[in-house]
Amino acid sequence: MARVLIAGCGYVGERLGQRLLHSRHSVHCARRDASSLGAALRPISADLCDEHAVDRLPFPFETIVYTVAADESTPEAYRRAYVEGPLRLLRRASREAIPTRFLFASSTSVYGEDAGSWVDETTQPYPAGFRGEILIEAEETIRHETAQSACIRFGGIYGPGRTHLIEAARAASPSYDIETDRFTNRIHADDAARALDHLLHLEALESIYIGVDEEPARRSEVMAWLRQQLDATAPRSPEGNSAASGKRCDSRALRESGFEFRFPTFREGYSALLAGLTAPGSHSDSH
């Protein structure tokens, strides 16, 4: 049994915490307001972007999983959340007698490719904006502070309560048809939590993993499939709008480490969501 801190225990972190409880780990979950977390997760209300927040954490921990989200979409908020927050935790952990393994939830936004090309863990990232630039800075900072770390670059995370594509397909919204036909990369929230759990238990870690499912898909393909499942009528797409953009992310390193997806493509993931939405007593939230 290990002592684990999930820093920023939100949509994915709470799922990870429940998995670790089943494995009989001692799980501590910190977020700005932890009042809604169950007692078994040992909730700690702390804003980890606050320089004094680490003083309220019950060190030592054998493992820290950092899934904090910035509270604003500004360079200052991103640097507080993704650079300064991990740095404070790592320097506090370094004062303990036991080494700490550190997992950092990053993003595929570090890749600026936008012509439909493939990227993997060996691809040199060239971020297209400040979000990706600051995440690269965060990853480099973490690697400099500890060798016992890994950064997992997640694609778009979807799952229960995140059904905006389903709602758009049900409404036969044309907004996804008039855009350039972008490649999209995603991972179900349960697989994101399972991937973190998997990495926690590997004997040796690579420094970078990409956290997306096994099939990048054009946005139009996903929407057409959803409309078919929903018996929705698709609006006619404008002609001459088939140029590929976006990027196709390959999670080869994660798969080669032994990880198996429960939802290997959007079809399995959204099939499960659609089944949940039609179950008796179910409801959905969109965002």
Side-chain angles (χ1 to χ4, degrees):
M1 182 177 74
R3 283 174 55 85
V4 180
L5 171 66
I6 303 176
C9 185
Y11 189 61
V12 172
E14 193 168 352
R15 284 171 166 79
L16 172 63
Q18 295 295 340
R19 291 185 60 83
L20 294 175
L21 285 179
H22 286 303
S23 302
R24 304 185 68 82
H25 293 294
S26 174
V27 184
H28 297 72
C29 293
R31 67 187 192 195
R32 293 181 184 92
D33 181 1
S35 59
S36 63
L37 293 174
L41 290 174
R42 301 172 187 259
I44 305 166
S45 291
D47 183 352
L48 296 175
C49 295
D50 180 341
E51 61 181 316
H52 302 295
V54 294
D55 298 333
R56 299 194 292 277
L57 302 178
F59 281 85
F61 299 104
E62 282 102 332
T63 299
I64 297 175
V65 183
Y66 194 88
T67 60
V68 171
D71 55 6
E72 295 178 338
S73 186
T74 64
E76 296 77 15
Y78 263 62
R79 183 159 281 104
R80 285 195 303 271
Y82 299 121
V83 179
E84 297 170 8
L87 185 58
R88 282 192 290 269
L89 281 174
L90 283 167
R91 290 184 173 174
R92 173 63 182 82
S94 70
R95 304 203 296 267
E96 302 295 336
I98 61 172
T100 299
R101 174 172 284 197
F102 195 94
L103 296 186
F104 177 73
S106 187
S107 168
T108 55
S109 66
V110 301
Y111 301 108
E113 282 77 3
D114 195 32
S117 56
W118 283 92
V119 299
D120 62 19
E121 292 84 0
T122 66
T123 303
Q124 180 67 33
Y126 292 103
F130 76 84
R131 297 171 185 83
E133 291 172 354
I134 291 173
L135 285 169
I136 288 296
E137 179 185 349
E139 292 179 3
E140 293 173 349
T141 298
I142 291 164
R143 283 194 292 273
H144 177 75
E145 290 293 321
T146 176
Q148 296 196 62
S149 66
C151 301
I152 180 163
R153 295 167 175 168
F154 284 117
I157 298 173
Y158 71 103
R162 295 189 174 186
T163 58
H164 58 290
L165 279 185
I166 294 174
E167 304 307 326
R170 181 177 284 120
S173 168
S175 61
Y176 288 95
D177 296 87
I178 63 177
E179 296 178 357
T180 303
D181 200 7
R182 297 184 64 82
F183 279 102
T184 56
N185 304 268
R186 59 185 52 77
I187 185 170
H188 193 286
D190 289 348
D191 274 337
R194 292 177 62 248
L196 290 168
D197 188 13
H198 171 75
L199 295 178
L200 287 179
H201 293 91
L202 288 183
E203 184 174 344
L205 289 172
E206 300 293 335
S207 61
I208 297 293
Y209 296 89
I210 290 179
V212 298
D213 68 22
E214 298 179 23
E215 186 182 325
R218 292 177 184 264
R219 188 190 299 273
S220 60
E221 179 184 1
V222 179
M223 294 299 290
W225 184 88
L226 283 170
R227 288 178 178 128
Q228 183 180 40
Q229 308 310 304
L230 295 165
D231 294 324
T233 301
R236 181 180 179 85
S237 299
E239 295 183 7
N241 194 37
S242 60
S245 64
K247 53 186 173 282
R248 287 178 279 182
C249 299
D250 185 351
S251 54
R252 181 185 300 115
L254 183 60
R255 299 194 309 275
E256 289 181 350
S257 73
F259 182 75
E260 296 183 1
F261 285 91
R262 180 171 295 161
F263 305 103
T265 78
F266 71 87
R267 298 174 194 85
E268 292 84 3
Y270 277 108
S271 290
L273 280 183
L274 289 169
L277 292 176
T278 58
S282 66
H283 66 280
S284 69
D285 299 314
S286 61
H287 82 300

